[in-house]
Amino acid sequence: MVQDLLNATTLASIYVLFALGMSLVWGTIGILNFAHGSIFMFSAFIAYLVVQQIPLGMPAVIAIAMVSGALIAVAMQYLVFQPIMKKAKNPHAGELQLVIGGIGLSAIPISFAQRSTLSNPFGFSAGTFETQAYTIGGVIITNVMIIILIVGLGLGVGTALWIRNSKKGLALRALGVDPEVSAMMGIDRPKLALATMLYSGALAGLAGALLTYYFNSITSESGDTLLLKAFAIIILGGVGSIFGVILGSFILAFAEFAVLLYTNGSWVTAVSFGLLFLILLIRPQGILGKKEVRRT
Amino acid sequence: MYRSKKHRLGVAAVGLSAVLTLAACSSGDSEDTAATAEATEEVVVEESATEDTTQEEAEAAEETCVLPPGDIKVVSIDSMTGPAAFAGILAEKGADLALKEINASGVLGDGVTMSIELLDDATSPDEAAAQFSKAAKDPDVPVIMGGVISSGAVVTSPIAEKEKVAVVYTQAGSPGVVIGDYTFRYTPPMDSYWGGVGSYIEEKGIKTMSVLYANDNPTLIATAETALPALAADLGFEILSSTGLPNSTQDFKAPISKILKEDPDAVAVLMVGAQNATVVSQMRESGWEAPKELLGFAGIENNFADIGEAAKGVTWASIFHVDSPAQSTQAFVDAVAAEYDGEEASNYTAERYDATYLVANSILAACSTDRQAVRDAMADLTNGSITGALGDVTFENQDARVAGFVVQWDGEKMVVLK
Amino acid sequence: MLEVTDLVVRYGPVQAVSDMRLTATPGQITLVLGANGAGKTTTLRTICGLQRAVSGSVTLNGQNILGLSPSRIVRLGVAMVPEGRRVFAPLTVEDNLRLGGYTASRQDNDRTMAEVYEMFPILHERRSGVSGLLSGGEQQMLAFGRALMSQAETILMDEPSMGLAPAIVDSVLESARGIADSGKAVLMVEQNAEAGLEIANDVVVVSRGEVVYQGSAEGARKNPELVRAFLGDAALTDD
């Protein structure tokens, strides 16, 4: 039982790592980035290509993946999302174009990785890191799990507190509410948007590297799978709420775990997306999301 | 009476020799051999005209077949992109190699070459169906090759039957793919080569087994839900649980936790791609070591390079191995290494290599690019045993059968146990 | 001092503003009157950098600010109180004020926030409440306070009385007067000409993007027929 709780918490931390950057970008600068999954995958893929040539340890692999993720995200923002936002006649048309742009963008790295790996799984086995398992009171925990728990929960809570308390965090929240008035306040949206994309891309790279260590290998499509779950998590927790991402990740991970432990498995997708529908019906703004309040 | 008469007609029309035809009929329909014996004569009389022509054609093919000079274009529909691309790309390497050998040998005749028009189905059944329909409606296409994904093949097979064009699949291992006179498959169904794994299970004294399978892959569903229970009944072991997981599953700790509580002797892993590697490494992390067994029955090849040592001892049934003693396999392995920079030959490459030879031989035997003639010649050829990259292959209702191997991952590569 | 000279703004083929001339002087309220679609809001949006101009100039104390980004213009000292107030509804009152002071120093922020709370005690009372739940008049006060937090010397106000109950209109416009009296230059667009003229120093009437009348508010107050002639009946009777 303790083992199951620990495993489910690790899975939740993985979801946090992946969904955090996506939620941040969506909730603040208003880009629902459907290419987040392919940034995640491709950062790990670049790290994999490097590790094939030079046997590196975990810190170097993570650094390569984070830098790759940040660069890819910034390039996407600069070359695609920003021009779309500039040209959009109204925010709603812009939103749809951003989603379509993201879907289109995501296909490029995925096809590239598929061609290059022949869709075979890839991992960091050529590197120097070894997974170690420890047994503490009958509970098995690996060094990768410890890292994921610390990094996932630490970054999740840290980012949430930063958004809540810092000046830049306040500016990001304002951008999420009203970009135009934010500009009147002196908030430099393009610059902040670029910084947010950079952070989100680095997080995607970090998640990519850690997940590859945890699962031992991933495939070109792994990012897409997580993307749908992250989408569900963000809706569950409430768009724009970072604590909501943490809560949503725990709900989804524990729900999946419970279903897999007590049934023969077929229901796992139905349950996680059933949860999503339930939340949309009874609390459309998400569990921690703020309802649009306005009195005039 | 009427049913068996029709059956005779179908086979007799292709027949090279009466003996062979009768032998094939008897083996295919052993229960009512006596009842149909008298029918045979009747049929032959009724259809004598047809049989005569075919006979003449077949004889001509054996002696002096002259195909009109030109390029014979065969269509191949394969997954070159998408999740199944790893298999599709390797398969096409087999086709290319066979084609190169066939054209270099000049066996098709002076000025006659064969080429393949390759269409990518992007691992999508819809795309496969669209491209297949187009090829099937083009009367200049004598025969189609294809496959890899079962979900595509179950859609394209009815089209082949309707348009009366022969199709040779590789992979596409689910039921509903080989459904009639025009559908052939060069990859044997999994349970047909499980004999070796069966003895392994008995040898290791495995009495209980838990199953993890991908519940959105038709081949793996059929394996887990039909073939494995049948094997269990056969060998007398018990399946404790069978857990179907969607392809979105990346973390397997929950089902593994459940399985650990059941404490079976062996776990059958029937997942797709990287999932197999993750299941195996997470099983190992959870303390699953010998004498507990990890067995593969389908879908498990080519997944363990990245986890190396963790997969040591995983055992599965395979139709192909580079260390096979068969001479024809060794020749193929060498040819692949020579053609593709020392690459190690895979089962996907081997199957398609053999399938491409079958296509060429059928055209040659028919001495025609007429669809019906090619399909009849192919049906005839697959009545016997064919030796190729896969070793000796026989066919049951146009569906391939091989003896197979039991292979085990030794930490770096797969080695033959039997 | 803010000076707008010969400003021309187009939306595609539509000329929204042509040859606009305005000045805003410290301690004074310049009132811009005009019917809907006369180009008043467009002028304000162009001044604070949200809208591109075709030609003309906008200078602040002699320095050109036309074509700069909104965030740059705030830093140079022009703040906007947007039409419809547009407070950050899900954020608290205090967060709204802190956002207003985004470009200012910490000391300036602390000092000005105290001043704003003194000017609008209700905001102090509600400082940790969600701003979307304030009444219309309170939201307008918050929007004023937010603009003051930027330390800008020139404040643009777009229809501050819009949508407010008549009883509150006067107190809101009184606050605007107070802001000008503290030394700020106020450029105010209003539909409610009568109430606006009560507190303004100068008045500019625009029609179809052009300035058609310019003079002192006092003169206009004494001679309402003059303004009425330029505005049309609708504007003056509309409250």
Side-chain angles (χ1 to χ4, degrees), chain A residues 46-295:
Chain A
I46 290 173
Y48 155 79
L49 291 181
V50 175
V51 165
Q52 291 300 103
Q53 305 304 320
I54 316 158
L56 296 169
M58 187 192 252
V61 168
I62 289 178
I64 292 170
M66 286 180 76
V67 170
S68 310
L71 289 179
I72 299 169
V74 165
M76 283 180 177
Q77 170 67 10
Y78 198 73
L79 298 174
V80 180
F81 294 138
Q82 201 163 300
I84 289 178
M85 285 199 287
K86 242 182 205 161
K87 278 190 195 135
K89 287 203 175 61
N90 62 67
H92 275 291
E95 244 164 57
L96 189 62
Q97 284 164 353
L98 288 170
V99 166
I100 294 167
I103 292 171
L105 271 176
S106 73
I108 302 167
I110 291 176
S111 314
F112 188 84
Q114 279 175 340
R115 278 315 275 210
S116 171
T117 61
L118 306 184
S119 291
N120 278 313
F122 56 87
F124 303 139
S125 57
T128 58
F129 180 81
E130 296 278 345
T131 303
Q132 302 287 342
Y134 315 102
T135 311
I136 304 161
V139 175
I140 299 168
I141 187 164
T142 65
N143 46 358
V144 179
M145 285 168 78
I146 295 172
I147 294 167
I148 287 175
L149 285 167
I150 293 173
V151 174
L153 297 179
L155 276 177
V157 174
T159 307
L161 290 177
W162 181 78
I163 288 284
R164 181 172 282 188
N165 298 319
S166 75
K167 187 176 163 186
K168 285 276 185 290
L170 179 61
L172 281 171
R173 280 187 287 150
L175 273 178
V177 178
D178 191 333
E180 194 173 84
V181 177
S182 302
M184 293 177 196
M185 301 297 112
I187 296 166
D188 188 343
R189 187 188 193 205
K191 211 164 103 189
L192 219 51
L194 211 58
T196 309
M197 281 302 273
L198 184 134
Y199 181 62
S200 150
L203 278 178
L206 175 66
L210 286 179
L211 252 75
T212 309
Y213 277 119
Y214 187 55
F215 295 145
N216 287 292
S217 58
I218 61 169
T219 62
S220 316
E221 295 84 21
S222 295
D224 279 359
T225 306
L226 276 169
L227 189 79
L228 275 182
K229 291 190 177 177
F231 192 60
I233 285 167
I234 296 171
I235 300 282
L236 272 174
V239 180
S241 167
I242 302 297
F243 280 119
V245 169
I246 301 174
L247 187 69
S249 298
F250 271 85
I251 293 175
L252 186 69
F254 276 76
E256 286 183 347
F257 236 81
V259 173
L260 288 173
L261 275 178
Y262 299 113
T263 74
N264 69 355
S266 321
W267 291 100
V268 65
T269 315
V271 165
S272 34
F273 285 89
L275 269 175
L276 180 65
F277 283 127
L278 196 70
I279 288 293
L280 283 176
L281 279 177
I282 59 174
R283 205 178 148 81
Q285 74 271 31
I287 299 170
L288 295 183
K290 290 208 172 80
K291 209 169 172 175
E292 185 69 8
V293 278
R294 191 174 280 272
R295 231 175 76 185

Side-chain angles (χ1 to χ4, degrees), chain B residues 186-206:
Chain B
Y186 223 109
T187 304
M190 326 241 159
D191 53 349
S192 73
Y193 54 91
W194 280 357
V197 175
S199 354
Y200 183 84
I201 289 171
E202 287 183 316
E203 212 174 277
K204 294 284 174 182
I206 291 166

Side-chain angles (χ1 to χ4, degrees), chain C residues 43-158:
Chain C
T43 306
L44 293 197
R45 288 173 60 85
T46 310
I47 295 169
C48 71
L50 292 167
Q51 184 67 47
R52 286 184 174 284
V54 177
S55 61
S57 81
V58 177
T59 60
L60 185 68
N61 302 324
Q63 187 193 350
N64 177 56
I65 60 165
L66 191 63
L68 301 180
S69 72
S71 60
R72 189 91 189 82
I73 291 172
V74 180
R75 283 179 172 82
L76 290 172
V78 180
M80 173 90 148
V81 178
E83 184 179 346
R85 300 170 278 284
R86 287 171 78 176
V87 298
F88 295 99
L91 307 186
T92 63
V93 168
E94 188 142 329
D95 277 349
N96 269 274
L97 291 177
R98 280 169 62 202
L99 281 163
Y102 186 74
T103 56
S105 71
R106 180 178 276 268
Q107 293 95 310
D108 282 344
N109 268 340
D110 291 347
R111 185 176 42 78
T112 317
M113 197 177 287
E115 286 169 14
V116 169
Y117 282 152
E118 202 181 320
M119 193 186 298
F120 306 113
I122 185 74
L123 296 184
H124 185 255
E125 227 169 86
R126 300 283 191 91
R127 65 185 180 281
S128 37
V130 169
S131 64
L133 292 175
L134 297 177
S135 73
E138 289 160 359
Q139 288 190 10
Q140 191 61 56
M141 291 172 196
L142 180 57
F144 283 163
R146 194 173 60 180
L148 289 173
M149 289 293 290
S150 69
Q151 312 299 321
E153 289 304 316
T154 305
I155 297 184
L156 314 179
M157 298 180 180
D158 197 352

Side-chain angles (χ1 to χ4, degrees), chain B residues 14-36:
Chain B
V14 210
L16 266 176
S17 83
V19 179
L20 203 98
T21 310
L22 276 173
C25 294
S26 312
S27 66
D29 242 352
S30 55
E31 288 147 33
D32 57 356
T33 311
T36 53

Side-chain angles (χ1 to χ4, degrees), chain C residues 147-223:
Chain C
L148 289 173
M149 289 293 290
S150 69
Q151 312 299 321
E153 289 304 316
T154 305
I155 297 184
L156 314 179
M157 298 180 180
D158 197 352
E159 310 247 8
S161 76
M162 190 177 83
L164 298 182
I168 299 168
V169 170
D170 284 345
S171 89
V172 163
L173 293 181
E174 240 358 272
S175 311
R177 183 66 246 174
I179 289 169
D181 289 345
S182 72
K184 309 275 184 195
V186 174
L187 184 60
M188 181 191 289
V189 161
E190 253 303 337
Q191 291 262 17
N192 189 339
E194 227 162 321
L197 284 170
E198 290 296 318
I199 51 142
N201 301 90
D202 295 312
V203 62
V204 174
V205 181
V206 293
S207 174
R208 297 205 187 95
E210 276 179 76
V211 175
V212 289
Y213 174 81
Q214 198 152 13
S216 74
E218 204 185 351
R221 273 198 301 271
K222 282 180 185 153
N223 191 0

